[in-house]
Amino acid sequence: MGHSCSCNCQGHSEEQHRFPPYILPAVSFAMLLTGLYMQHTDAELFSKEIVRFAWYLLAYLPVGLPVIREAIESIREKDVFSEFTLMCIATLGAFYIGEYPEGVAVMLFYSIGEIFQENAVAKARKNISALLDVRPETATVIHDNEAVTFAPTDVLPGEIIEVKAGERVPLDGKLLSEVAAFNTAALTGESTPRNIHREEEVLAGMIVTDKVIRIEVTKPYNQSALARILELVQNASERKAPAELFIRKFARIYTPIVTGLAFLIVLIPFIYSLIQPDFLFVFNDWLYRALVFLVISCPCALVISIPLGYFGGIGAASRQGILFKGGNYLDAITKINTVVFDKTGTLTKGIFEVQSLSAANHIPEKELLHIIASVESRSNHPIAKAIVAYAREQQVEIDTTIDTTELAGYGLKAVVEGKDILVGNSRLLDSEGVLFHPNETSVSPGRNNCFTRMKQNSDTVVVCAIDRQYAGHILLADTPKEDAVKAIKQLKELNINNLEILSGDKQIIVSKLATRLGISRAYGDLLPEGKVAHLEELIRNPENRIAFVGDGINDAPVLALSDIGIAMGGLGSDAAIETADVVIQTDQPSKVATAIRIGKFTRNIVWQNISLAFGVKLIVLILGAGGIATMWEAVFADVGVALLAILNAVRILKTNKPD
């Protein structure tokens, strides 16, 4: 349980793992029990000291040699005071004074602890691997209507791939089939299948659940969502949390100090016996106390369980669709007392939905919707897609053969059934001299004040004119995400009440959303530099520990500026995801509170382990120096506490809803 195993545990050597790792400890354990039984029964075989020595030496070698080998390696690397060195000194000293069983027991229980620890680390890695290591080995590319198998890394953007039901999507792309259901658990942690429609994005790692589909590849493999996630998690353990860094530095100072104290436990009584001849100094007794002191002093429980705790926290978060880029961020998120949200794509869906349709008196609403949807059907703009989707929901027929002319920044012109159609914004009607009023009251051309009133309750107004007469309008808005209210409520339950929204949208729209969600401070009409200036103002208060949650390219500067940058990974831009410290793959704002709870749960486990290790070691160190504790207590204080700490750290991996 030493530094060879801090989250990259590979055991003592390749030879040791050619067969089950418990074989050698099992042999030693059997020989130790047999030896203790024969000693207890005064068996004739153990009447000679040389026989006892040879028997326990044979019991010692299977578990002792790997540690001795590690000690030699650490000394070569100028790490003299490693736990391996301490174990060797303590056990060889035990053999010197004739305490053979205790010497074997130290190495035996140390080896058992190694097995438990390796299993715990393997479990942590398996949790993450099961979630993320889902890279398909092949991709079926369609060439001239023939299926050809390639490695995903060899497939280029623009090529068409085919994925069968039950298979994983190997690369990011656009769905060419009409609609398909996907299991997205590998990317988002959500088990509910998700329906994706034609032209919508499909991400590598998703599993097709219902039928054979075809996808047009949009990104090379190394830029896919799956590859990015794998890289984030693989690199996460390299970024150490403050507690982890402290313990490693502490161990480098602590171990030489306790080694010196162990030496003084023998030296001081010896010197005192020279000054006071009536003081009975028995070398072997004081050497035994020093050896007990050495065994207790090994910092295994701290050096291993703390990195394992943070690694477990990263794994637990990954299962929830939350990717921490390092243990340091897992620790930093526990200190957050201010959360600032972007609006569009973060608290809202980033998808326009029709709020209402209003037709002029001379035209039925369904006919108006048919005309507007038919004109917009050739456009890929999000507003156009929203109108077409709404028309389909209302079972209104759409003519997709209409030729349109785009007027950049204004809208579209078309001819439908011999009529001149204008569909666009208020400037389009102004530029064409079309009089407009929802109630068809005569107004003079120019800026139509009614738009101001309508836009107070929506994000966008799309107007329509037929043969240069106003025909009606559609109001659209970007709606809040389903769990946006829940997200704010959960943050307040965590006593995070300083919540804000920063957005480039109109102030009245941002304020309306803030009121709906229960956020008291909301700032709209902000350019990226405005968001930066506002965040810098918050930072000037040293009491603020700020998390910014966003998804757009324009959020990258504030994500970098905040104490913790949290990006929405499903819809978020690459710039935001690269800049952020935490990525939420599910695009759910409620996961911000989940991330904070996981961070706090991990920190509690880590500090429980630190307290347990220091508390037990301090008590047994004092008892050992006083000659009260034996080597058996020393073994518990070292290996036993390490095992308890590891088992405690594994709790993080088992939690789904940490408190």
Side-chain angles (χ1 to χ4, degrees):
M1 291 170 290
H3 29 252
S4 67
C5 305
S6 62
C7 284
N8 287 310
C9 182
Q10 298 174 354
H12 296 306
S13 68
E14 292 181 9
E15 293 81 8
Q16 189 180 352
H17 290 278
R18 286 178 181 171
F19 49 87
Y22 54 79
I23 295 295
L24 293 179
V27 170
S28 288
F29 185 59
M31 293 188 70
L32 177 62
L33 285 182
T34 303
L36 290 171
Y37 174 77
M38 294 176 77
Q39 268 188 236
H40 183 69
T41 57
D42 294 325
E44 184 178 347
L45 178 64
F46 268 35
S47 59
K48 294 182 179 179
E49 185 70 17
I50 188 63
V51 174
R52 287 181 65 245
F53 175 80
W55 180 270
Y56 285 115
L57 180 62
L58 288 173
Y60 176 87
L61 292 177
V63 289
L65 282 178
V67 179
I68 292 171
R69 197 158 47 233
E70 290 283 4
I72 293 170
E73 284 298 317
S74 65
I75 290 171
R76 281 178 183 167
E77 294 172 6
K78 298 181 181 178
D79 186 7
V80 177
F81 297 103
S82 68
E83 54 268 40
F84 305 114
T85 309
L86 298 188
M87 287 288 177
C88 290
I89 294 172
T91 54
L92 294 176
F95 268 77
Y96 169 77
I97 61 176
E99 298 290 348
Y100 311 130
E102 297 185 16
V104 174
V106 170
M107 285 300 189
L108 173 62
F109 288 112
Y110 182 84
S111 298
I112 292 172
E114 281 277 278
I115 294 170
F116 269 92
Q117 173 227 312
E118 289 184 17
N119 287 340
V121 173
K123 181 177 176 62
R125 289 194 177 279
K126 185 177 179 182
N127 267 272
I128 293 175
S129 297
L131 179 72
L132 296 175
D133 197 8
V134 291
R135 291 165 287 196
E137 296 180 358
T138 60
T140 303
V141 181
I142 304 301
H143 279 307
D144 299 325
N145 286 326
E146 289 188 8
V148 184
T149 301
F150 288 94
T153 50
D154 295 333
V155 181
L156 300 175
E159 294 191 279
I160 308 300
I161 60 173
E162 187 174 85
V163 187
K164 297 183 176 72
E167 291 182 346
R168 292 188 188 277
V169 176
L171 297 126
D172 290 2
K174 291 188 300 183
L175 183 65
L176 299 181
S177 307
E178 192 63 35
V179 65
F182 294 83
N183 179 339
T184 65
L187 298 175
T188 66
E190 298 297 314
S191 58
T192 306
R194 174 181 162 195
N195 287 328
I196 295 178
H197 296 82
R198 182 195 293 273
E199 295 294 314
E200 291 182 344
E201 188 179 36
V202 179
L203 300 179
M206 292 180 174
I207 300 173
V208 185
T209 61
D210 57 350
K211 59 186 174 184
V212 178
I213 62 164
R214 290 192 176 183
I215 296 169
E216 180 184 339
V217 177
T218 55
K219 294 179 184 176
Y221 175 76
N222 61 1
Q223 293 178 20
S224 69
L226 181 61
R228 187 176 64 219
I229 296 167
L230 289 167
E231 184 181 0
L232 288 179
V233 175
Q234 287 165 357
N235 294 336
S237 61
E238 296 176 9
R239 297 184 174 95
K240 308 298 182 186
E244 192 175 347
L245 293 171
F246 165 74
I247 288 300
R248 294 207 164 276
K249 291 176 183 176
F250 172 79
R252 293 193 192 105
I253 300 168
Y254 160 83
T255 309
I257 290 174
V258 293
T259 305
L261 291 175
F263 177 72
L264 291 176
I265 288 174
V266 179
L267 182 62
I268 291 174
F270 172 71
I271 294 173
Y272 187 71
S273 68
L274 296 177
I275 299 170
Q276 296 288 338
D278 58 336
F279 177 75
L280 181 60
F281 175 75
V282 180
F283 178 76
N284 282 2
D285 286 349
W286 287 99
L287 177 61
Y288 182 77
R289 295 185 188 189
L291 296 175
V292 169
F293 195 87
L294 271 184
V295 173
I296 299 165
S297 69
C298 287
C300 303
L302 297 170
V303 172
I304 293 307
S305 66
I306 292 171
L308 181 59
Y310 284 109
F311 196 68
I314 291 169
S318 297
R319 285 209 312 278
Q320 300 279 336
I322 303 164
L323 301 177
F324 281 90
K325 292 186 179 179
N328 53 333
Y329 304 123
L330 198 65
D331 196 77
I333 203 168
T334 64
K335 301 178 178 67
I336 293 301
N337 58 20
T338 302
V339 178
V340 181
F341 290 94
D342 171 49
K343 184 184 83 72
T344 306
T346 302
L347 290 172
T348 63
K349 295 178 181 178
I351 301 171
F352 286 95
E353 292 183 0
V354 173
Q355 301 295 301
S356 66
L357 170 67
S358 178
N361 294 335
H362 65 280
I363 183 170
E365 284 191 353
K366 283 207 169 184
E367 185 180 340
L368 175 66
L369 182 57
H370 160 72
I371 292 171
I372 296 177
S374 296
V375 172
E376 296 280 19
S377 66
R378 304 290 291 274
S379 173
N380 286 321
H381 193 281
I383 292 174
K385 289 183 177 180
I387 292 172
V388 170
Y390 177 71
R392 285 176 177 154
E393 286 175 11
Q394 301 299 314
Q395 299 182 335
V396 170
E397 184 181 346
I398 300 172
D399 184 354
T400 59
T401 63
I402 294 172
D403 289 328
T404 60
T405 302
E406 183 173 353
L407 305 172
Y410 291 87
L412 299 168
K413 274 186 176 183
V415 177
V416 179
E417 298 171 358
K419 298 176 180 179
D420 291 326
I421 307 296
L422 297 173
V423 174
N425 56 32
S426 61
R427 289 180 298 171
L428 176 61
L429 269 63
D430 282 344
S431 67
E432 297 290 330
V434 176
L435 300 180
F436 163 71
H437 194 284
N439 298 320
E440 292 195 301
T441 303
S442 177
V443 293
S444 59
R447 299 293 180 265
N448 288 299
N449 293 331
C450 57
F451 276 110
T452 303
R453 292 193 298 273
M454 289 192 301
K455 285 193 170 191
Q456 288 179 354
N457 295 308
S458 67
D459 289 353
T460 301
V461 181
V462 175
V463 295
C464 177
I466 300 175
D467 288 337
R468 306 186 66 79
Q469 279 194 328
Y470 166 73
H473 64 266
I474 293 177
L475 301 183
L476 300 97
D478 181 13
T479 56
K481 290 182 177 178
E482 287 81 359
D483 70 330
V485 173
K486 175 184 173 185
I488 304 307
K489 181 182 176 184
Q490 289 183 344
L491 287 171
K492 289 180 178 179
E493 288 172 354
L494 290 169
N495 293 320
I496 300 174
N497 295 306
N498 190 9
L499 303 170
E500 299 188 2
I501 300 177
L502 302 182
S503 177
D505 280 341
K506 306 174 197 66
Q507 180 65 56
I508 193 160
I509 294 171
V510 179
S511 299
K512 182 179 176 183
L513 176 67
T515 302
R516 183 172 176 178
L517 299 182
I519 297 176
S520 58
R521 287 180 290 279
Y523 304 90
D525 300 310
L526 294 175
L527 295 173
E529 53 267 32
K531 290 185 178 181
V532 169
H534 187 86
L535 208 70
E536 286 176 340
E537 185 180 335
L538 287 174
I539 291 169
R540 277 194 281 273
N541 182 346
E543 293 182 1
N544 287 336
R545 294 290 178 270
I546 304 161
F548 182 86
V549 190
D551 73 314
I553 293 174
N554 62 336
D555 292 328
V558 276
L559 284 166
L561 194 61
S562 57
D563 294 294
I564 289 287
I566 303 175
M568 293 292 169
L571 297 173
S573 71
D574 288 344
I577 291 166
E578 289 299 319
T579 308
D581 308 312
V582 181
V583 179
I584 296 176
Q585 281 299 114
T586 63
D587 282 327
Q588 294 173 285
S590 62
K591 294 291 186 181
V592 175
T594 304
I596 294 171
R597 283 199 300 270
I598 290 174
K600 289 186 175 183
F601 185 65
T602 302
R603 183 190 60 186
N604 290 342
I605 293 289
V606 165
W607 282 104
Q608 285 170 15
N609 285 346
I610 291 173
S611 302
L612 173 70
F614 275 124
V616 174
K617 281 183 181 292
L618 181 62
I619 293 169
V620 183
L621 277 172
I622 294 169
L623 295 176
I628 300 171
T630 67
M631 197 74 79
W632 296 102
E633 283 86 1
V635 169
F636 172 76
D638 176 43
V639 181
V641 170
L643 287 176
L644 291 175
I646 288 167
L647 292 173
N648 195 31
V650 169
R651 286 173 54 210
I652 301 171
L653 293 169
K654 295 181 179 295
T655 185
N656 287 320
K657 293 184 178 179
D659 295 324

